[in-house]
Amino acid sequence: MIDSVSFVNKMAGLIISENSTAEELEPIALAIYGTIGLPITMRSKNHNGVRVENSKVVDYNYTGEYLEQALSTGKIVHGLAGSGPYKGMPVIVSPINNRNSETIAAMGTVNLSGYIDLKRF
């Protein structure tokens, strides 16, 4: 039988949990930014997260109203940011669920360029 601790220590990769820190979420947020080129926000259920702009993390203690809403409802949220650095801009936030369908994190993007389809907004 494989010891689960040694198995996890031998695994290469990233694991997201409800306790992931901003630093642990950073590589994922940077990768998503790299693919779409729009600001990315991401946080876990129990820790504030990251805000990425211009291919770098600009905040390691970030949360926002729609990240919080996606975490609490477990649903995709579309809206206009009411405060903060993206005030008045359209945002889309999606929950991240574990295998048990529990929401453990949320990731959002800001529609600075109009590339995101906001018909559902």
Side-chain angles (χ1 to χ4, degrees), residues 3-44:
D3 175 23
S4 63
V5 173
S6 63
F7 177 73
V8 170
N9 288 337
K10 291 179 183 179
M11 287 178 31
L14 301 170
I15 297 174
I16 297 175
S17 78
E18 66 276 1
N19 291 311
S20 293
T21 64
E23 290 79 8
E24 292 167 334
L25 297 173
E26 177 180 0
I28 299 164
L30 287 169
I32 295 167
Y33 179 87
T35 63
I36 64 173
L38 295 171
I40 298 295
T41 61
M42 190 172 188
R43 66 158 292 165
S44 68

PDB file of all heavy atoms in Angstrom, residues 3-44:
ATOM      1  N   ASP A   3       1.891   4.954   0.919  1.00  0.00           N
ATOM      2  CA  ASP A   3       1.679   5.962   1.948  1.00  0.00           C
ATOM      3  C   ASP A   3       1.236   7.250   1.259  1.00  0.00           C
ATOM      4  O   ASP A   3       1.922   7.751   0.371  1.00  0.00           O
ATOM      5  CB  ASP A   3       2.979   6.168   2.725  1.00  0.00           C
ATOM      6  CG  ASP A   3       2.902   7.287   3.734  1.00  0.00           C
ATOM      7  OD1 ASP A   3       1.786   7.632   4.155  1.00  0.00           O
ATOM      8  OD2 ASP A   3       3.962   7.820   4.102  1.00  0.00           O
ATOM      9  N   SER A   4       0.083   7.794   1.643  1.00  0.00           N
ATOM     10  CA  SER A   4      -0.466   8.966   0.951  1.00  0.00           C
ATOM     11  C   SER A   4       0.437  10.183   1.070  1.00  0.00           C
ATOM     12  O   SER A   4       0.529  10.977   0.145  1.00  0.00           O
ATOM     13  CB  SER A   4      -1.857   9.291   1.471  1.00  0.00           C
ATOM     14  OG  SER A   4      -1.822   9.635   2.825  1.00  0.00           O
ATOM     15  N   VAL A   5       1.128  10.358   2.188  1.00  0.00           N
ATOM     16  CA  VAL A   5       2.022  11.514   2.348  1.00  0.00           C
ATOM     17  C   VAL A   5       3.187  11.406   1.379  1.00  0.00           C
ATOM     18  O   VAL A   5       3.523  12.363   0.684  1.00  0.00           O
ATOM     19  CB  VAL A   5       2.513  11.640   3.803  1.00  0.00           C
ATOM     20  CG1 VAL A   5       3.571  12.718   3.921  1.00  0.00           C
ATOM     21  CG2 VAL A   5       1.347  11.937   4.725  1.00  0.00           C
ATOM     22  N   SER A   6       3.811  10.240   1.289  1.00  0.00           N
ATOM     23  CA  SER A   6       4.936  10.098   0.365  1.00  0.00           C
ATOM     24  C   SER A   6       4.463  10.183  -1.080  1.00  0.00           C
ATOM     25  O   SER A   6       5.167  10.694  -1.940  1.00  0.00           O
ATOM     26  CB  SER A   6       5.708   8.802   0.616  1.00  0.00           C
ATOM     27  OG  SER A   6       4.882   7.687   0.374  1.00  0.00           O
ATOM     28  N   PHE A   7       3.244   9.718  -1.360  1.00  0.00           N
ATOM     29  CA  PHE A   7       2.704   9.829  -2.709  1.00  0.00           C
ATOM     30  C   PHE A   7       2.529  11.294  -3.091  1.00  0.00           C
ATOM     31  O   PHE A   7       2.938  11.710  -4.161  1.00  0.00           O
ATOM     32  CB  PHE A   7       1.365   9.094  -2.820  1.00  0.00           C
ATOM     33  CG  PHE A   7       0.725   9.222  -4.177  1.00  0.00           C
ATOM     34  CD1 PHE A   7       1.244   8.528  -5.253  1.00  0.00           C
ATOM     35  CD2 PHE A   7      -0.380  10.022  -4.367  1.00  0.00           C
ATOM     36  CE1 PHE A   7       0.663   8.629  -6.506  1.00  0.00           C
ATOM     37  CE2 PHE A   7      -0.959  10.142  -5.613  1.00  0.00           C
ATOM     38  CZ  PHE A   7      -0.439   9.442  -6.685  1.00  0.00           C
ATOM     39  N   VAL A   8       1.964  12.093  -2.206  1.00  0.00           N
ATOM     40  CA  VAL A   8       1.770  13.522  -2.483  1.00  0.00           C
ATOM     41  C   VAL A   8       3.115  14.203  -2.660  1.00  0.00           C
ATOM     42  O   VAL A   8       3.290  15.032  -3.537  1.00  0.00           O
ATOM     43  CB  VAL A   8       0.932  14.199  -1.370  1.00  0.00           C
ATOM     44  CG1 VAL A   8       0.946  15.706  -1.517  1.00  0.00           C
ATOM     45  CG2 VAL A   8      -0.495  13.677  -1.398  1.00  0.00           C
ATOM     46  N   ASN A   9       4.097  13.861  -1.833  1.00  0.00           N
ATOM     47  CA  ASN A   9       5.419  14.473  -1.944  1.00  0.00           C
ATOM     48  C   ASN A   9       6.097  14.131  -3.267  1.00  0.00           C
ATOM     49  O   ASN A   9       6.932  14.879  -3.746  1.00  0.00           O
ATOM     50  CB  ASN A   9       6.310  14.058  -0.775  1.00  0.00           C
ATOM     51  CG  ASN A   9       5.875  14.715   0.519  1.00  0.00           C
ATOM     52  OD1 ASN A   9       5.232  15.752   0.502  1.00  0.00           O
ATOM     53  ND2 ASN A   9       6.211  14.104   1.626  1.00  0.00           N
ATOM     54  N   LYS A  10       5.760  13.005  -3.881  1.00  0.00           N
ATOM     55  CA  LYS A  10       6.361  12.598  -5.146  1.00  0.00           C
ATOM     56  C   LYS A  10       5.612  13.158  -6.341  1.00  0.00           C
ATOM     57  O   LYS A  10       6.109  13.128  -7.455  1.00  0.00           O
ATOM     58  CB  LYS A  10       6.394  11.071  -5.242  1.00  0.00           C
ATOM     59  CG  LYS A  10       7.373  10.452  -4.273  1.00  0.00           C
ATOM     60  CD  LYS A  10       7.359   8.952  -4.392  1.00  0.00           C
ATOM     61  CE  LYS A  10       8.288   8.341  -3.354  1.00  0.00           C
ATOM     62  NZ  LYS A  10       8.271   6.876  -3.425  1.00  0.00           N
ATOM     63  N   MET A  11       4.398  13.669  -6.129  1.00  0.00           N
ATOM     64  CA  MET A  11       3.595  14.204  -7.225  1.00  0.00           C
ATOM     65  C   MET A  11       4.189  15.523  -7.701  1.00  0.00           C
ATOM     66  O   MET A  11       4.572  16.360  -6.905  1.00  0.00           O
ATOM     67  CB  MET A  11       2.149  14.454  -6.779  1.00  0.00           C
ATOM     68  CG  MET A  11       1.347  13.211  -6.584  1.00  0.00           C
ATOM     69  SD  MET A  11      -0.340  13.492  -5.989  1.00  0.00           S
ATOM     70  CE  MET A  11      -0.821  15.049  -6.650  1.00  0.00           C
ATOM     71  N   ALA A  12       4.253  15.668  -8.995  1.00  0.00           N
ATOM     72  CA  ALA A  12       4.650  16.947  -9.560  1.00  0.00           C
ATOM     73  C   ALA A  12       3.383  17.650  -9.998  1.00  0.00           C
ATOM     74  O   ALA A  12       2.530  17.051 -10.635  1.00  0.00           O
ATOM     75  CB  ALA A  12       5.571  16.736 -10.750  1.00  0.00           C
ATOM     76  N   GLY A  13       3.241  18.897  -9.645  1.00  0.00           N
ATOM     77  CA  GLY A  13       2.066  19.616 -10.098  1.00  0.00           C
ATOM     78  C   GLY A  13       1.537  20.574  -9.069  1.00  0.00           C
ATOM     79  O   GLY A  13       2.165  20.839  -8.056  1.00  0.00           O
ATOM     80  N   LEU A  14       0.361  21.073  -9.359  1.00  0.00           N
ATOM     81  CA  LEU A  14      -0.300  22.047  -8.508  1.00  0.00           C
ATOM     82  C   LEU A  14      -1.571  21.443  -7.954  1.00  0.00           C
ATOM     83  O   LEU A  14      -2.276  20.725  -8.644  1.00  0.00           O
ATOM     84  CB  LEU A  14      -0.650  23.295  -9.322  1.00  0.00           C
ATOM     85  CG  LEU A  14       0.514  24.010  -9.990  1.00  0.00           C
ATOM     86  CD1 LEU A  14      -0.003  25.057 -10.956  1.00  0.00           C
ATOM     87  CD2 LEU A  14       1.410  24.645  -8.951  1.00  0.00           C
ATOM     88  N   ILE A  15      -1.853  21.782  -6.721  1.00  0.00           N
ATOM     89  CA  ILE A  15      -3.090  21.343  -6.093  1.00  0.00           C
ATOM     90  C   ILE A  15      -3.791  22.580  -5.558  1.00  0.00           C
ATOM     91  O   ILE A  15      -3.181  23.395  -4.870  1.00  0.00           O
ATOM     92  CB  ILE A  15      -2.818  20.350  -4.945  1.00  0.00           C
ATOM     93  CG1 ILE A  15      -2.159  19.084  -5.491  1.00  0.00           C
ATOM     94  CG2 ILE A  15      -4.108  20.024  -4.211  1.00  0.00           C
ATOM     95  CD1 ILE A  15      -1.717  18.118  -4.430  1.00  0.00           C
ATOM     96  N   ILE A  16      -5.062  22.720  -5.890  1.00  0.00           N
ATOM     97  CA  ILE A  16      -5.862  23.825  -5.362  1.00  0.00           C
ATOM     98  C   ILE A  16      -6.756  23.251  -4.278  1.00  0.00           C
ATOM     99  O   ILE A  16      -7.412  22.228  -4.469  1.00  0.00           O
ATOM    100  CB  ILE A  16      -6.738  24.470  -6.452  1.00  0.00           C
ATOM    101  CG1 ILE A  16      -5.882  25.088  -7.547  1.00  0.00           C
ATOM    102  CG2 ILE A  16      -7.651  25.530  -5.848  1.00  0.00           C
ATOM    103  CD1 ILE A  16      -6.698  25.633  -8.701  1.00  0.00           C
ATOM    104  N   SER A  17      -6.804  23.942  -3.145  1.00  0.00           N
ATOM    105  CA  SER A  17      -7.713  23.555  -2.072  1.00  0.00           C
ATOM    106  C   SER A  17      -8.355  24.809  -1.513  1.00  0.00           C
ATOM    107  O   SER A  17      -7.993  25.930  -1.879  1.00  0.00           O
ATOM    108  CB  SER A  17      -6.963  22.806  -0.965  1.00  0.00           C
ATOM    109  OG  SER A  17      -6.262  23.715  -0.144  1.00  0.00           O
ATOM    110  N   GLU A  18      -9.287  24.609  -0.595  1.00  0.00           N
ATOM    111  CA  GLU A  18      -9.926  25.755   0.049  1.00  0.00           C
ATOM    112  C   GLU A  18      -8.934  26.561   0.886  1.00  0.00           C
ATOM    113  O   GLU A  18      -9.198  27.688   1.251  1.00  0.00           O
ATOM    114  CB  GLU A  18     -11.123  25.314   0.902  1.00  0.00           C
ATOM    115  CG  GLU A  18     -10.765  24.461   2.092  1.00  0.00           C
ATOM    116  CD  GLU A  18     -10.613  22.980   1.770  1.00  0.00           C
ATOM    117  OE1 GLU A  18     -10.764  22.555   0.615  1.00  0.00           O
ATOM    118  OE2 GLU A  18     -10.332  22.224   2.713  1.00  0.00           O
ATOM    119  N   ASN A  19      -7.763  25.983   1.145  1.00  0.00           N
ATOM    120  CA  ASN A  19      -6.735  26.665   1.941  1.00  0.00           C
ATOM    121  C   ASN A  19      -5.551  27.146   1.122  1.00  0.00           C
ATOM    122  O   ASN A  19      -4.535  27.550   1.687  1.00  0.00           O
ATOM    123  CB  ASN A  19      -6.253  25.736   3.061  1.00  0.00           C
ATOM    124  CG  ASN A  19      -7.332  25.527   4.095  1.00  0.00           C
ATOM    125  OD1 ASN A  19      -7.937  26.478   4.580  1.00  0.00           O
ATOM    126  ND2 ASN A  19      -7.608  24.278   4.408  1.00  0.00           N
ATOM    127  N   SER A  20      -5.654  27.126  -0.210  1.00  0.00           N
ATOM    128  CA  SER A  20      -4.552  27.600  -1.048  1.00  0.00           C
ATOM    129  C   SER A  20      -4.283  29.071  -0.768  1.00  0.00           C
ATOM    130  O   SER A  20      -5.204  29.877  -0.646  1.00  0.00           O
ATOM    131  CB  SER A  20      -4.877  27.410  -2.528  1.00  0.00           C
ATOM    132  OG  SER A  20      -4.949  26.047  -2.860  1.00  0.00           O
ATOM    133  N   THR A  21      -3.006  29.401  -0.697  1.00  0.00           N
ATOM    134  CA  THR A  21      -2.604  30.789  -0.466  1.00  0.00           C
ATOM    135  C   THR A  21      -2.460  31.517  -1.796  1.00  0.00           C
ATOM    136  O   THR A  21      -2.446  30.882  -2.864  1.00  0.00           O
ATOM    137  CB  THR A  21      -1.257  30.841   0.275  1.00  0.00           C
ATOM    138  OG1 THR A  21      -0.249  30.272  -0.580  1.00  0.00           O
ATOM    139  CG2 THR A  21      -1.320  30.095   1.604  1.00  0.00           C
ATOM    140  N   ALA A  22      -2.313  32.821  -1.722  1.00  0.00           N
ATOM    141  CA  ALA A  22      -2.102  33.616  -2.928  1.00  0.00           C
ATOM    142  C   ALA A  22      -0.879  33.124  -3.688  1.00  0.00           C
ATOM    143  O   ALA A  22      -0.904  33.010  -4.919  1.00  0.00           O
ATOM    144  CB  ALA A  22      -1.946  35.088  -2.554  1.00  0.00           C
ATOM    145  N   GLU A  23       0.181  32.810  -2.976  1.00  0.00           N
ATOM    146  CA  GLU A  23       1.411  32.343  -3.610  1.00  0.00           C
ATOM    147  C   GLU A  23       1.199  31.004  -4.316  1.00  0.00           C
ATOM    148  O   GLU A  23       1.789  30.754  -5.364  1.00  0.00           O
ATOM    149  CB  GLU A  23       2.542  32.242  -2.590  1.00  0.00           C
ATOM    150  CG  GLU A  23       3.045  33.582  -2.080  1.00  0.00           C
ATOM    151  CD  GLU A  23       2.152  34.234  -1.012  1.00  0.00           C
ATOM    152  OE1 GLU A  23       1.183  33.588  -0.529  1.00  0.00           O
ATOM    153  OE2 GLU A  23       2.430  35.388  -0.665  1.00  0.00           O
ATOM    154  N   GLU A  24       0.364  30.151  -3.759  1.00  0.00           N
ATOM    155  CA  GLU A  24       0.080  28.862  -4.390  1.00  0.00           C
ATOM    156  C   GLU A  24      -0.799  29.012  -5.627  1.00  0.00           C
ATOM    157  O   GLU A  24      -0.705  28.221  -6.566  1.00  0.00           O
ATOM    158  CB  GLU A  24      -0.568  27.913  -3.380  1.00  0.00           C
ATOM    159  CG  GLU A  24       0.387  27.496  -2.281  1.00  0.00           C
ATOM    160  CD  GLU A  24      -0.293  26.818  -1.105  1.00  0.00           C
ATOM    161  OE1 GLU A  24      -1.490  27.063  -0.853  1.00  0.00           O
ATOM    162  OE2 GLU A  24       0.404  26.048  -0.417  1.00  0.00           O
ATOM    163  N   LEU A  25      -1.645  30.031  -5.656  1.00  0.00           N
ATOM    164  CA  LEU A  25      -2.520  30.277  -6.801  1.00  0.00           C
ATOM    165  C   LEU A  25      -1.824  31.072  -7.910  1.00  0.00           C
ATOM    166  O   LEU A  25      -2.277  31.069  -9.056  1.00  0.00           O
ATOM    167  CB  LEU A  25      -3.779  31.013  -6.354  1.00  0.00           C
ATOM    168  CG  LEU A  25      -4.677  30.266  -5.369  1.00  0.00           C
ATOM    169  CD1 LEU A  25      -5.795  31.176  -4.887  1.00  0.00           C
ATOM    170  CD2 LEU A  25      -5.231  28.993  -5.987  1.00  0.00           C
ATOM    171  N   GLU A  26      -0.740  31.720  -7.567  1.00  0.00           N
ATOM    172  CA  GLU A  26      -0.029  32.592  -8.511  1.00  0.00           C
ATOM    173  C   GLU A  26       0.288  31.939  -9.857  1.00  0.00           C
ATOM    174  O   GLU A  26      -0.020  32.525 -10.905  1.00  0.00           O
ATOM    175  CB  GLU A  26       1.251  33.112  -7.864  1.00  0.00           C
ATOM    176  CG  GLU A  26       2.098  33.972  -8.775  1.00  0.00           C
ATOM    177  CD  GLU A  26       3.357  34.471  -8.096  1.00  0.00           C
ATOM    178  OE1 GLU A  26       3.606  34.174  -6.910  1.00  0.00           O
ATOM    179  OE2 GLU A  26       4.116  35.185  -8.770  1.00  0.00           O
ATOM    180  N   PRO A  27       0.888  30.731  -9.919  1.00  0.00           N
ATOM    181  CA  PRO A  27       1.220  30.190 -11.241  1.00  0.00           C
ATOM    182  C   PRO A  27       0.004  29.923 -12.114  1.00  0.00           C
ATOM    183  O   PRO A  27       0.064  30.067 -13.342  1.00  0.00           O
ATOM    184  CB  PRO A  27       1.978  28.900 -10.938  1.00  0.00           C
ATOM    185  CG  PRO A  27       1.831  28.636  -9.490  1.00  0.00           C
ATOM    186  CD  PRO A  27       1.343  29.878  -8.836  1.00  0.00           C
ATOM    187  N   ILE A  28      -1.115  29.583 -11.505  1.00  0.00           N
ATOM    188  CA  ILE A  28      -2.333  29.334 -12.275  1.00  0.00           C
ATOM    189  C   ILE A  28      -2.872  30.653 -12.822  1.00  0.00           C
ATOM    190  O   ILE A  28      -3.234  30.752 -13.996  1.00  0.00           O
ATOM    191  CB  ILE A  28      -3.385  28.617 -11.407  1.00  0.00           C
ATOM    192  CG1 ILE A  28      -2.831  27.263 -10.950  1.00  0.00           C
ATOM    193  CG2 ILE A  28      -4.707  28.462 -12.158  1.00  0.00           C
ATOM    194  CD1 ILE A  28      -3.598  26.642  -9.808  1.00  0.00           C
ATOM    195  N   ALA A  29      -2.935  31.657 -11.972  1.00  0.00           N
ATOM    196  CA  ALA A  29      -3.427  32.966 -12.413  1.00  0.00           C
ATOM    197  C   ALA A  29      -2.540  33.552 -13.512  1.00  0.00           C
ATOM    198  O   ALA A  29      -3.042  34.120 -14.487  1.00  0.00           O
ATOM    199  CB  ALA A  29      -3.507  33.916 -11.216  1.00  0.00           C
ATOM    200  N   LEU A  30      -1.225  33.393 -13.380  1.00  0.00           N
ATOM    201  CA  LEU A  30      -0.312  33.893 -14.413  1.00  0.00           C
ATOM    202  C   LEU A  30      -0.496  33.143 -15.729  1.00  0.00           C
ATOM    203  O   LEU A  30      -0.440  33.744 -16.807  1.00  0.00           O
ATOM    204  CB  LEU A  30       1.133  33.795 -13.937  1.00  0.00           C
ATOM    205  CG  LEU A  30       1.543  34.807 -12.873  1.00  0.00           C
ATOM    206  CD1 LEU A  30       2.898  34.446 -12.273  1.00  0.00           C
ATOM    207  CD2 LEU A  30       1.562  36.222 -13.441  1.00  0.00           C
ATOM    208  N   ALA A  31      -0.729  31.841 -15.663  1.00  0.00           N
ATOM    209  CA  ALA A  31      -0.949  31.056 -16.880  1.00  0.00           C
ATOM    210  C   ALA A  31      -2.230  31.486 -17.583  1.00  0.00           C
ATOM    211  O   ALA A  31      -2.260  31.616 -18.813  1.00  0.00           O
ATOM    212  CB  ALA A  31      -0.990  29.570 -16.545  1.00  0.00           C
ATOM    213  N   ILE A  32      -3.285  31.707 -16.811  1.00  0.00           N
ATOM    214  CA  ILE A  32      -4.546  32.151 -17.405  1.00  0.00           C
ATOM    215  C   ILE A  32      -4.367  33.535 -18.010  1.00  0.00           C
ATOM    216  O   ILE A  32      -4.822  33.795 -19.126  1.00  0.00           O
ATOM    217  CB  ILE A  32      -5.689  32.105 -16.376  1.00  0.00           C
ATOM    218  CG1 ILE A  32      -5.951  30.656 -15.950  1.00  0.00           C
ATOM    219  CG2 ILE A  32      -6.955  32.747 -16.939  1.00  0.00           C
ATOM    220  CD1 ILE A  32      -6.835  30.511 -14.735  1.00  0.00           C
ATOM    221  N   TYR A  33      -3.677  34.430 -17.298  1.00  0.00           N
ATOM    222  CA  TYR A  33      -3.394  35.753 -17.855  1.00  0.00           C
ATOM    223  C   TYR A  33      -2.645  35.616 -19.178  1.00  0.00           C
ATOM    224  O   TYR A  33      -2.961  36.301 -20.151  1.00  0.00           O
ATOM    225  CB  TYR A  33      -2.574  36.615 -16.885  1.00  0.00           C
ATOM    226  CG  TYR A  33      -2.265  37.955 -17.492  1.00  0.00           C
ATOM    227  CD1 TYR A  33      -3.156  39.011 -17.366  1.00  0.00           C
ATOM    228  CD2 TYR A  33      -1.119  38.154 -18.254  1.00  0.00           C
ATOM    229  CE1 TYR A  33      -2.905  40.228 -17.971  1.00  0.00           C
ATOM    230  CE2 TYR A  33      -0.862  39.358 -18.870  1.00  0.00           C
ATOM    231  CZ  TYR A  33      -1.754  40.396 -18.721  1.00  0.00           C
ATOM    232  OH  TYR A  33      -1.518  41.598 -19.342  1.00  0.00           O
ATOM    233  N   GLY A  34      -1.671  34.708 -19.212  1.00  0.00           N
ATOM    234  CA  GLY A  34      -0.884  34.512 -20.422  1.00  0.00           C
ATOM    235  C   GLY A  34      -1.709  34.069 -21.616  1.00  0.00           C
ATOM    236  O   GLY A  34      -1.361  34.370 -22.759  1.00  0.00           O
ATOM    237  N   THR A  35      -2.812  33.379 -21.380  1.00  0.00           N
ATOM    238  CA  THR A  35      -3.631  32.914 -22.499  1.00  0.00           C
ATOM    239  C   THR A  35      -4.648  33.940 -22.977  1.00  0.00           C
ATOM    240  O   THR A  35      -4.974  33.971 -24.161  1.00  0.00           O
ATOM    241  CB  THR A  35      -4.384  31.609 -22.151  1.00  0.00           C
ATOM    242  OG1 THR A  35      -5.278  31.848 -21.077  1.00  0.00           O
ATOM    243  CG2 THR A  35      -3.415  30.496 -21.810  1.00  0.00           C
ATOM    244  N   ILE A  36      -5.143  34.779 -22.067  1.00  0.00           N
ATOM    245  CA  ILE A  36      -6.184  35.723 -22.489  1.00  0.00           C
ATOM    246  C   ILE A  36      -5.764  37.187 -22.415  1.00  0.00           C
ATOM    247  O   ILE A  36      -6.412  38.037 -23.006  1.00  0.00           O
ATOM    248  CB  ILE A  36      -7.510  35.510 -21.721  1.00  0.00           C
ATOM    249  CG1 ILE A  36      -7.353  35.786 -20.232  1.00  0.00           C
ATOM    250  CG2 ILE A  36      -8.054  34.121 -21.966  1.00  0.00           C
ATOM    251  CD1 ILE A  36      -8.655  35.764 -19.466  1.00  0.00           C
ATOM    252  N   GLY A  37      -4.714  37.494 -21.659  1.00  0.00           N
ATOM    253  CA  GLY A  37      -4.204  38.862 -21.620  1.00  0.00           C
ATOM    254  C   GLY A  37      -5.091  39.869 -20.919  1.00  0.00           C
ATOM    255  O   GLY A  37      -4.942  41.067 -21.115  1.00  0.00           O
ATOM    256  N   LEU A  38      -6.010  39.393 -20.114  1.00  0.00           N
ATOM    257  CA  LEU A  38      -6.879  40.283 -19.343  1.00  0.00           C
ATOM    258  C   LEU A  38      -6.578  40.114 -17.863  1.00  0.00           C
ATOM    259  O   LEU A  38      -6.126  39.052 -17.439  1.00  0.00           O
ATOM    260  CB  LEU A  38      -8.351  39.939 -19.601  1.00  0.00           C
ATOM    261  CG  LEU A  38      -8.858  40.167 -21.021  1.00  0.00           C
ATOM    262  CD1 LEU A  38     -10.257  39.588 -21.179  1.00  0.00           C
ATOM    263  CD2 LEU A  38      -8.838  41.633 -21.382  1.00  0.00           C
ATOM    264  N   PRO A  39      -6.827  41.139 -17.051  1.00  0.00           N
ATOM    265  CA  PRO A  39      -6.565  41.009 -15.613  1.00  0.00           C
ATOM    266  C   PRO A  39      -7.278  39.790 -15.030  1.00  0.00           C
ATOM    267  O   PRO A  39      -8.428  39.505 -15.366  1.00  0.00           O
ATOM    268  CB  PRO A  39      -7.133  42.297 -15.029  1.00  0.00           C
ATOM    269  CG  PRO A  39      -7.048  43.279 -16.146  1.00  0.00           C
ATOM    270  CD  PRO A  39      -7.338  42.474 -17.378  1.00  0.00           C
ATOM    271  N   ILE A  40      -6.575  39.085 -14.162  1.00  0.00           N
ATOM    272  CA  ILE A  40      -7.086  37.887 -13.515  1.00  0.00           C
ATOM    273  C   ILE A  40      -7.080  38.097 -12.011  1.00  0.00           C
ATOM    274  O   ILE A  40      -6.107  38.604 -11.449  1.00  0.00           O
ATOM    275  CB  ILE A  40      -6.211  36.654 -13.853  1.00  0.00           C
ATOM    276  CG1 ILE A  40      -6.216  36.378 -15.347  1.00  0.00           C
ATOM    277  CG2 ILE A  40      -6.638  35.418 -13.044  1.00  0.00           C
ATOM    278  CD1 ILE A  40      -7.555  35.976 -15.917  1.00  0.00           C
ATOM    279  N   THR A  41      -8.160  37.701 -11.360  1.00  0.00           N
ATOM    280  CA  THR A  41      -8.216  37.670  -9.903  1.00  0.00           C
ATOM    281  C   THR A  41      -8.555  36.249  -9.492  1.00  0.00           C
ATOM    282  O   THR A  41      -9.328  35.570 -10.170  1.00  0.00           O
ATOM    283  CB  THR A  41      -9.257  38.663  -9.345  1.00  0.00           C
ATOM    284  OG1 THR A  41     -10.550  38.299  -9.837  1.00  0.00           O
ATOM    285  CG2 THR A  41      -8.934  40.097  -9.753  1.00  0.00           C
ATOM    286  N   MET A  42      -7.962  35.809  -8.393  1.00  0.00           N
ATOM    287  CA  MET A  42      -8.186  34.431  -7.967  1.00  0.00           C
ATOM    288  C   MET A  42      -7.940  34.339  -6.477  1.00  0.00           C
ATOM    289  O   MET A  42      -6.990  34.913  -5.959  1.00  0.00           O
ATOM    290  CB  MET A  42      -7.213  33.525  -8.722  1.00  0.00           C
ATOM    291  CG  MET A  42      -7.463  32.069  -8.578  1.00  0.00           C
ATOM    292  SD  MET A  42      -6.359  31.185  -9.726  1.00  0.00           S
ATOM    293  CE  MET A  42      -7.020  29.562  -9.524  1.00  0.00           C
ATOM    294  N   ARG A  43      -8.830  33.621  -5.786  1.00  0.00           N
ATOM    295  CA  ARG A  43      -8.661  33.404  -4.354  1.00  0.00           C
ATOM    296  C   ARG A  43      -9.275  32.069  -3.964  1.00  0.00           C
ATOM    297  O   ARG A  43     -10.140  31.550  -4.657  1.00  0.00           O
ATOM    298  CB  ARG A  43      -9.266  34.525  -3.525  1.00  0.00           C
ATOM    299  CG  ARG A  43     -10.772  34.623  -3.617  1.00  0.00           C
ATOM    300  CD  ARG A  43     -11.399  35.332  -2.447  1.00  0.00           C
ATOM    301  NE  ARG A  43     -11.258  34.548  -1.244  1.00  0.00           N
ATOM    302  CZ  ARG A  43     -11.443  35.011  -0.020  1.00  0.00           C
ATOM    303  NH1 ARG A  43     -11.800  36.248   0.157  1.00  0.00           N
ATOM    304  NH2 ARG A  43     -11.292  34.239   1.026  1.00  0.00           N
ATOM    305  N   SER A  44      -8.797  31.543  -2.836  1.00  0.00           N
ATOM    306  CA  SER A  44      -9.390  30.318  -2.310  1.00  0.00           C
ATOM    307  C   SER A  44     -10.463  30.695  -1.298  1.00  0.00           C
ATOM    308  O   SER A  44     -10.611  31.854  -0.926  1.00  0.00           O
ATOM    309  CB  SER A  44      -8.318  29.434  -1.664  1.00  0.00           C
ATOM    310  OG  SER A  44      -7.817  30.036  -0.490  1.00  0.00           O
TER     311      SER A  44
END
